Amino acid sequence: MTSEVPAGTRVTLLVTTTAQATEIVVAGEVDHSTVARLRACLNGELRLAPRAILLDLAAVTFCSVDGVRALIDTALSARQAGIRLAITNRSHPVDRVISLLDLEQMLPVQRTPERLTVPE
């Protein structure tokens, strides 16, 4: 099943659900004015308790610290719930802020979803 979360002018969220995982493709700017919609989407998917959540951030053109905080919170909540979480792609803006904040271990890219691990 695929559904698009209503898009504003700056960020689009596309959610695809299968028996194996939920994939969320994020495109556009993730900042203070759009992060609430991202959080609502991520939290909604966590509540559904899929086996895994795959985040594709390749089309993110800007990511503020608010966006990274949402990713961290999601990673922690997924770990607590036993849901496997993987970032399958990251754009340069996302890479840059994760690198600057030294969060590579917490928010790594896992390009092969078959080998998803829950970080310790």
Side-chain angles (χ1 to χ4, degrees):
M1 178 167 101
T2 299
S3 63
E4 189 168 335
V5 176
T9 57
R10 298 176 46 207
V11 71
T12 301
L13 307 168
L14 180 66
V15 179
T16 304
T17 305
T18 68
Q20 288 75 36
T22 295
E23 181 182 30
I24 303 170
V25 178
V26 184
E29 297 180 15
V30 179
D31 60 17
H32 181 71
S33 65
T34 61
V35 75
R37 221 164 65 236
L38 175 61
R39 279 185 182 278
C41 177
L42 295 171
N43 290 336
E45 294 307 318
L46 284 170
R47 279 192 296 280
L48 295 174
R51 291 178 18 186
I53 295 176
L54 310 176
L55 294 176
D56 184 338
L57 307 175
V60 173
T61 57
F62 177 80
C63 186
S64 72
V65 173
D66 293 318
V68 173
R69 183 76 238 173
L71 296 175
I72 291 169
D73 291 346
T74 300
L76 293 173
S77 295
R79 184 181 308 148
Q80 282 182 327
I83 298 169
R84 295 176 296 165
L85 176 77
I87 297 174
T88 58
N89 278 304
R90 289 193 315 221
S91 65
H92 178 70
V94 175
D95 271 338
R96 185 177 62 222
V97 72
I98 287 174
S99 178
L100 285 171
L101 296 173
D102 197 25
L103 295 171
E104 288 291 340
Q105 269 194 305
M106 179 170 270
L107 299 171
V109 172
Q110 294 184 17
R111 297 199 191 278
T112 15
E114 305 84 50
R115 291 196 227 152
L116 287 179
T117 56
V118 179
E120 307 224 3

